[in-house]
Amino acid sequence: MRRFLDRLYRACGWIAAAFIAAICLLVSAQVLLNSIDRVSTLLTGSAIGLTIPSYADITGFFLAGASFFALAFTLNEGGHIRVSLVVHQVPPRFRRAFEIWAALAGGAAALYFTWYSSVLCYQSYLYGDVSSGMVAVPLWLPQSVMPLGLGVLSIALLDALVTLLKGALPAYAHPAQAIDTDEGALARSVLDGE
Amino acid sequence: DTWDMPTPYPDKTFHTQNIIEFAKDVEKATHGKLTIKVHSAGSLFKHKEIKNAVRGGQVPIGEFFLGLLANENPAFGIDTQPFLATDYKQAAALWKAQRPVVEKLLGKQGLMVLFSVPWPPQGLYTKHEIKTVADLKGLKFRTYNATLERFAKLVGAAPTQVQVPDIPQAFATGRVEAMITSPSTGANSKAWDYVSYYTNIQAWVPKNIVVVNARAFHRLSKDEQAAVIKAAQEAQTRGWAMSKKETAEKTAILRENGMHIITPSPELMAGLKKIGGEMMTQWKKDAGAQGAAILNAYKP
Amino acid sequence: MNEVAMTVLLLALLFVMLGSGIWVAFSLLIVALSGMALFSSAPLGDVLATTAWGASNSWALAALPLFIWMGEILFRSRMSEDMFTGLSPWMGRLPGRLLHVNIVGCAVFAAVSGSSAATAATIGKMSVPELTRRGYPEKLILGTLAGSATLGLLIPPSIILIVYGVATEQSIARLFVAGILPGIMLMVLFMGYVVIWSLTHKAQIPAPDPSLPLREKFARSKRLIPVILLIAGVIGSIYAGIASPTDAAAVGVVLALVLSWFAKTLNLETFKAGLIGATKTSCMIAFILVGAAFLTVAMGFTGIPSLLAQWIGSLHLSPYALLGALTVFFVILGCFLDGISVVVLTTSVILPMVEQAGIDPLWFGIFVVIVVEMSQITPPVGFNLFVIQSLTGRNIVRVAMAAAPFFAILLIALGLITAFPEIVTALPAVMGH
Ligand code: NA
Ligand code: NA
C-alpha cells in the first residue's frame, strides 16, 4: 500500500511535469512559426499566417493540468508553504496535535473541493459546454484535471492523517522537509540543490 | 433581496452604464425589495465563467458577449457573421429574428433572456490605407474565433492570435497588422498610438446579452417579476440608443486624435460582401434548422 | 454586523489558520468559505469550483512555470556562477558589491517578466546560493531579493498594469511607458540603500576579490557572454515581433537548455531535476493563487472591500489626504489579499473618487502598482515572501523582517512620485505625438 501510494503521487508529479514541458513545446512551436512568417514577410512582403489554432486556450488548459496534478506530489515533498513558527516551537506531543489538526483541516477542505470540482466537470459534460476559441474543446475534458488532482491530494492528506494517528510523521513533516527548523537551511539549500 | 450581477466590461463602458441604470430602475420599481449589485469588469466572475455561474445559480443574473457561445450553437453567433447585418436597423431586425431561437436554446439551460444591446458596428484598423480586398493580402490579421479565422483566410490575410492586452505591443512589433473591432475598443485602447487608418466597413454588429436564472426569477413575487421585465425592456431601448451615440462619439475621438477615418471604397465593400456571402453559405450548413429559422424570420 | 467587525473576524480566523500550521492555500480557502457562509447566501462549493477553474486555466499565467523552469536550468548550469564571477571584478569598489547583482538582475529580468513571483523565483534561484556561498549577510540577500523582485510589476511588461488598464480603460501602452522612470528610480533607491548599509556595516560585507589587471578583468567578463545572450534572446524575441511577452518565457527555457547543453551541464539527470523542481514551485504558487482568487470572489460577495472604500469616500478628504488614506487602506488590505485582487475589488469604487479629486488616473495607476508592490512583501499573504520561503527555507516572518527596509523605500517612492508627478507623466506625455 505504502509503495503504491508513493508511486501514485510520484506518477502524478511527472504527469504535471509533462504538462509544463508540453506548454514549453507548444509555445516554442508557435514562436518558430512566427519566425517563419517574419522571414516570409521580409523576403516576399507578405506573411503566410502559420498559427496553432487556439494555442493560448490549450496552453491555459495544460497549465491547469500541471497545477492540479502536481498537488499531492508537491505536498509530500514539503513544497506547499505553511507558517510553521508555532508548530516548531511547541513540545513534540503538541507538535503531533498540530500536525493532526492541519492534516484534518486540509483533508476536509480538499475533499470538499474535490466534490464540487467533480460537480462542475459533470455539469460541463451534461450541458455540452465548449471553449469559445477557434477550436471548440469540450470543457469537461480539461476540467477533469481538477477532480483528479484534488482527489489524489485528498488521498495524500488522509494518508498523512493515518500516518500521524499511527504515531509517525508524514513525509512532508520530516525534518529534512520541514522548513525553518535549523539555522543551516540556507547553507543546505546550497549543498543539496534545493 | 439582493442580486449579485457579474458583468465583463468596465464601469465606463456604455453597456455597464446601461446595466447600472437598469439596476436602479428595478430597485425603484420594487421599492427597494429587489436590489441588484453590479460587479463590473469581471471582478466577481471572469467573462468566460459568467454564463455558467448564472446557470448554476451561483449568481441570479449576469451579462456576457453573445458571440462567446457561437461554438455551442452557431445560432448564438449569427450577429458576428461578416456583412449579414451591418447597421443598427438590420441589427435590430436580426435580433428580432434571433431572439426566439436564443431564448429556446438558453431556456434548455434554465436561463431567461432579459435584454440584448449591440456594440457599435465593427471597423477595420490598419497602419496603411486599404482600398481593395487585395490590399489585405498577406497582412497579419488578428483572429480570436473560427469565424474570423475563416474570414482572414478568405481575404488572403495571415491569421494571427493576439490576446487583448498584447494588442498595442503586437502592432508596434509587427506581430499583427490589421484587426476588426468597434470604435469603442479602438478609442478606449488609444488605437492612434499604434495604427493610423480606421476604415468604417461596418462588418457586423455584435451584441451583449443579459440573462437571469429562471429559478431565481420565479422565486420573485409577481410584482417584482413584472418590474424586472419592464426595466429590461426599457434597458434594451435605452441601450440601443446609447450604442448609436457611442458610435458617433468614439469615431469622433479617433478622428480628433489624428486617425484617418475612411469611408470604404465601393470596390472594397463589393469584395468584402462577396466573402461575407461565401461565409453565410457555410454558416447555413453548420447551423441547420435553427439557423434556417433565424434566416427565414430575418427581414432586413 | 458592520464591515469593520466582519473584517476583524475574518482576519482573526486567517491568523488562527495560518498560525496553527495549515498550508497557506488551504487557509485562504477556509477563510473565504467561512466569509461567504457567514455574510452571503451564494452556494459556496459551486462558486469555489468555478473560480478555481477560471483562475487556473490562464494563458497569462503560463509564463510563470516556464520562467521558474528557466531559473532551475540556469541554477543547474554553471551560468549563475559564471555571472557572479564575471561581474565580481567590476564591483569591487561599489559598497555592497555583488548584492547589487540581486537588484539589477531583478530589474533586467523585470523587463521580460510581468510578475514579481516569477522574478523572485528565477533570480533568487541563481543569486541566493551564490551570495550565501560568498558570505554576504542573509538579511540583505533576502531583503534585496524580496524588494527588487517587486520591480517585476512596475517595469513593463506588467500583469498588474494590464489589470488596471483594462479595469479603468487607460491605455496599457501608456501605463507601461509610465512605469519605466519610477522603476529605474526605485532600482537606484534600492542600490542607494545597499551602499549606505554597507558603508555603515563594513565588517559584514565579505572582502573584495583581489584587484585584477584590466586585461584579466575583461578575460573574466567573457563568462558573462552566455547570460547576455540569454537576456538578449528573450527580450529580442519580443521586439522582433515573433513572441508575445508570455511566449518569451518559452524562448527563455529553450535558450537556457541550449546554453547549458553547450556548457556541458545538461544531461538527463539535470533536465529531470530542473523540470520537477519547476513543477513543484509553480504548483505551490498556483495553488495559493487559486486560494487567493477564491478569497477575492468571497470578498466580492461579502462586499467588505468596497464598503471600506466607500467609507473612505464618504470622508470627503483633500487630494493629498485621500492619497494618504488610500495608501493605508491598500497596505492593510494588501497584508491579507493578493495585491492584484485588491485592485480588481476596489477600482470601481475608488477610481471615481480619485478622478473627482482631480488626480490623473494614469499617474494613479503607477501609484497603485507601487502600493501593490508593497503588498507583495507584507506578511501574512505576500507572494514574494512565499516564493523566498520556498527557495531558502526561511520562514516568511523572517523574510518579511529582512524586506522591511525595502518596504520603507517603496513608501518613500510613493512620496517622491506624489511630490514630483513628472517622474510618472513625463515619458507618456512625449509618446504618440
Ligand atoms: Na515586468
Ligand atoms: Na501582503
Side-chain angles (χ1 to χ4, degrees):
Chain A
M1 191 65 182
R2 175 78 270 133
R3 255 186 59 199
F4 168 75
L5 287 175
D6 286 339
R7 275 191 186 167
L8 175 68
Y9 308 145
R10 185 154 288 275
C12 287
W14 280 105
I15 292 173
F19 272 120
I20 289 181
I23 293 174
C24 188
L25 271 177
L26 191 65
V27 178
S28 306
Q30 180 61 57
V31 172
L32 188 70
L33 294 179
N34 288 345
S35 322
I36 295 172
D37 254 357
R38 193 86 194 148
V39 172
S40 150
T41 311
L42 290 176
L43 295 180
T44 67
S46 79
I48 311 164
L50 300 167
T51 62
I52 300 171
S54 284
Y55 92 110
D57 286 348
I58 295 169
T59 305
F61 296 154
F62 282 180
L63 179 67
S67 305
F68 284 100
F69 266 106
L71 283 172
F73 176 69
T74 307
L75 175 85
N76 260 26
E77 299 266 309
H80 289 302
I81 299 290
R82 54 204 292 215
V83 183
S84 40
L85 275 185
V86 182
V87 183
H88 289 303
Q89 295 303 318
V90 297
R93 55 201 176 91
F94 290 114
R95 164 88 194 271
R96 179 173 311 285
F98 270 108
E99 291 289 0
I100 289 174
W101 155 247
L104 256 179
L111 275 172
Y112 182 84
F113 201 169
T114 309
W115 170 253
Y116 279 100
S117 60
S118 316
V119 171
L120 177 87
C121 194
Y122 177 66
Q123 298 255 335
S124 293
Y125 175 76
L126 208 62
Y127 287 107
D129 290 339
V130 289
S131 68
S132 60
M134 265 172 225
V135 184
V137 180
L139 282 180
W140 67 267
L141 196 70
Q143 281 174 347
S144 63
V145 302
M146 290 207 296
L148 290 175
L150 288 163
V152 179
L153 177 68
S154 309
I155 295 174
L157 283 159
L158 293 180
D159 178 12
L161 192 61
V162 171
T163 311
L164 281 163
L165 292 175
K166 279 186 192 158
L169 280 179
Y172 61 76
H174 279 300
Q177 308 280 11
I179 34 197
D180 215 37
T181 46
D182 60 353
E183 289 301 304
L186 261 182
R188 200 183 66 225
S189 78
V190 181
L191 292 176
D192 64 17
E194 282 300 323
Chain B
D1 226 7
T2 300
W3 277 8
D4 287 293
M5 177 173 188
T7 74
Y9 299 97
D11 282 342
K12 284 185 186 163
T13 312
F14 72 93
H15 285 285
T16 313
Q17 292 292 330
N18 187 35
I19 284 171
I20 291 170
E21 283 301 307
F22 163 75
K24 280 185 195 155
D25 290 349
V26 169
E27 184 166 352
K28 212 184 293 165
T30 59
H31 307 289
K33 273 189 277 182
L34 177 63
T35 54
I36 296 177
K37 194 166 128 201
V38 179
H39 300 265
S40 60
S43 59
L44 200 59
F45 289 104
K46 287 188 172 180
H47 195 171
K48 283 179 185 170
E49 319 299 338
I50 291 177
K51 193 248 311 173
N52 290 355
V54 181
R55 182 179 72 195
Q58 298 167 38
V59 281
I61 185 171
E63 182 203 29
F64 55 87
F65 183 77
L66 186 55
L68 216 52
L69 307 188
N71 281 351
E72 273 186 33
N73 190 309
F76 290 121
I78 193 167
D79 58 1
T80 59
Q81 280 300 306
F83 305 102
L84 174 66
T86 59
D87 59 25
Y88 281 105
K89 199 164 152 275
Q90 292 174 352
L94 183 62
W95 173 229
K96 202 172 158 224
Q98 185 192 16
R99 181 163 183 157
V101 177
V102 168
E103 283 184 339
K104 204 171 135 211
L105 288 170
L106 289 179
K108 283 186 198 157
Q109 304 191 25
L111 297 170
M112 263 177 64
V113 175
L114 283 184
F115 62 91
S116 180
V117 171
W119 287 92
Q122 309 280 297
L124 177 65
Y125 292 76
T126 49
K127 284 191 175 169
H128 306 288
E129 193 173 347
I130 302 296
K131 289 183 182 138
T132 64
V133 171
D135 291 342
L136 286 167
K137 194 169 180 329
L139 282 190
K140 298 193 128 197
F141 187 94
R142 177 171 179 252
T143 58
Y144 48 83
N145 61 27
T147 309
L148 268 173
E149 161 107 2
R150 208 175 303 145
F151 179 76
K153 283 192 173 148
L154 286 171
V155 299
T160 179
Q161 300 168 74
V162 177
Q163 308 299 303
V164 178
D166 283 347
I167 290 175
Q169 195 171 24
F171 267 103
T173 59
R175 204 148 49 81
V176 62
E177 296 162 320
M179 66 172 175
I180 291 183
T181 189
S182 69
S184 308
T185 310
N188 293 345
S189 67
K190 301 199 167 39
W192 49 89
D193 283 352
Y194 49 88
V195 283
S196 316
Y197 288 87
Y198 174 74
T199 312
N200 187 19
I201 57 170
Q202 300 198 308
W204 61 88
V205 187
K207 298 184 294 286
N208 282 4
I209 192 168
V210 171
V211 297
V212 60
N213 181 298
R215 273 170 295 144
F217 183 78
H218 292 302
R219 274 199 297 270
L220 297 176
S221 71
K222 284 278 173 275
D223 290 350
E224 288 167 348
Q225 291 182 6
V228 170
I229 295 291
K230 182 160 171 287
Q233 280 162 354
E234 286 166 9
Q236 177 152 308
T237 314
R238 182 177 55 232
W240 284 67
M242 286 170 97
S243 181
K244 285 174 201 164
K245 198 162 145 254
E246 170 92 359
T247 307
E249 281 175 7
K250 291 293 156 92
T251 311
I253 290 177
L254 294 179
R255 186 180 291 119
E256 279 160 25
N257 284 283
M259 283 188 68
H260 305 282
I261 311 296
I262 309 287
T263 307
S265 69
E267 297 97 292
L268 177 61
M269 285 316 288
L272 289 174
K273 286 196 167 153
K274 191 165 152 270
I275 289 162
E278 285 173 40
M279 291 186 66
M280 270 321 287
T281 317
Q282 178 66 41
W283 186 87
K284 279 181 211 162
K285 267 188 219 152
D286 297 343
Q290 278 141 343
I294 298 177
L295 287 175
N296 287 336
Y298 177 46
K299 302 279 183 285
Chain C
M1 196 185 316
N2 71 22
E3 57 267 34
V4 176
M6 285 153 73
T7 316
V8 170
L9 185 72
L10 291 178
L11 293 188
L13 185 64
L14 182 61
F15 272 109
V16 170
M17 292 290 141
L18 288 171
S20 64
I22 293 176
W23 296 267
V24 173
F26 280 126
S27 300
L28 295 174
L29 285 177
I30 293 169
V31 170
L33 283 170
S34 318
M36 272 179 78
L38 288 172
F39 307 118
S40 91
S41 53
L44 310 180
D46 298 310
V47 174
L48 169 62
T50 307
T51 309
W53 172 245
S56 59
N57 85 96
S58 150
W59 150 249
L61 205 59
L64 186 76
L66 297 184
F67 277 131
I68 293 173
W69 189 11
M70 181 180 102
E72 293 274 351
I73 297 164
L74 297 181
F75 166 75
R76 285 177 176 76
S77 74
R78 270 202 339 263
M79 224 178 297
S80 42
E81 192 204 325
D82 281 352
M83 183 168 83
F84 282 86
T85 313
L87 287 172
S88 179
W90 301 98
M91 320 265 297
R93 296 270 177 86
L94 186 60
R97 286 188 272 281
L98 290 173
L99 283 173
H100 295 283
V101 177
N102 240 358
I103 301 171
V104 178
C106 283
V108 170
F109 189 77
V112 186
S113 142
S115 92
S116 69
T119 309
T122 314
I123 297 296
K125 189 81 200 176
M126 294 186 283
S127 68
V128 170
E130 279 295 320
L131 291 172
T132 309
R133 198 168 58 80
R134 286 160 192 264
Y136 285 88
E138 177 192 297
K139 205 174 97 182
L140 277 222
I141 300 175
L142 299 179
T144 49
L145 180 61
S148 323
T150 65
L151 290 173
L153 297 177
L154 192 54
I155 294 176
S158 156
I159 292 174
I160 183 85
L161 281 176
I162 290 172
V163 170
Y164 179 84
V166 170
T168 62
E169 300 199 337
Q170 292 296 306
S171 151
I172 289 160
R174 274 156 205 269
L175 282 168
F176 275 9
V177 171
I180 295 174
L181 279 185
I184 294 173
M185 174 186 83
L186 261 178
M187 183 183 84
V188 171
L189 287 175
F190 289 155
M191 291 175 76
Y193 171 77
V194 169
V195 166
I196 293 170
W197 192 93
S198 308
L199 289 175
T200 50
H201 299 77
K202 278 193 176 141
Q204 294 188 44
I205 298 289
D209 295 339
S211 185
L212 297 169
L214 199 59
R215 266 178 81 135
E216 180 61 24
K217 280 190 185 178
F218 277 110
R220 291 216 182 160
S221 298
K222 266 198 236 155
R223 298 176 71 174
L224 291 173
I225 291 173
V227 180
I228 292 169
L229 279 179
L230 179 77
I231 295 168
V234 173
I235 297 182
S237 70
I238 298 177
Y239 289 95
I242 57 169
S244 73
T246 309
D247 297 336
V251 175
V253 172
V254 172
L255 285 179
L257 284 172
V258 170
L259 289 171
S260 79
W261 173 264
F262 279 112
K264 298 192 168 53
T265 49
L266 185 68
N267 53 44
L268 191 63
E269 201 83 336
T270 55
F271 178 83
K272 279 164 68 180
L275 180 56
I276 203 78
T279 306
K280 277 191 282 184
T281 308
S282 64
C283 169
M284 177 274 284
I285 297 175
F287 195 35
I288 297 179
L289 280 173
V290 165
F294 185 51
L295 185 57
T296 304
V297 171
M299 289 294 118
F301 271 109
T302 62
I304 294 174
S306 64
L307 285 172
L308 289 172
Q310 276 164 13
W311 175 73
I312 294 178
S314 69
L315 300 176
H316 299 290
L317 300 165
S318 72
Y320 286 116
L322 177 67
L323 287 176
L326 288 178
T327 307
V328 173
F329 170 72
F330 277 127
V331 166
I332 293 174
L333 274 190
C335 284
F336 306 100
L337 288 172
D338 160 35
I340 295 175
S341 311
V342 178
V343 175
V344 168
L345 284 172
T346 58
T347 33
S348 77
V349 180
I350 283 177
L351 205 77
M353 279 194 244
V354 165
E355 286 186 322
Q356 207 180 9
I359 297 167
D360 175 6
L362 182 84
W363 177 89
F364 188 69
I366 301 303
F367 177 90
V368 164
V369 174
I370 297 181
V371 186
V372 169
E373 287 190 349
M374 294 159 72
S375 80
Q376 302 285 322
I377 54 175
T378 50
V381 181
F383 274 83
N384 286 12
L385 304 181
F386 298 150
V387 169
I388 295 174
Q389 170 170 338
S390 119
L391 211 60
T392 62
R394 288 295 181 236
N395 213 298
I396 57 164
V397 178
R398 188 151 164 181
V399 183
M401 297 287 276
F406 296 86
F407 180 87
I409 293 171
L410 286 164
L411 211 51
I412 293 171
L414 276 187
L416 286 173
I417 65 160
T418 309
F420 310 103
E422 296 78 16
I423 300 170
V424 175
T425 55
L427 280 187
V430 296
M431 203 185 138
H433 290 291

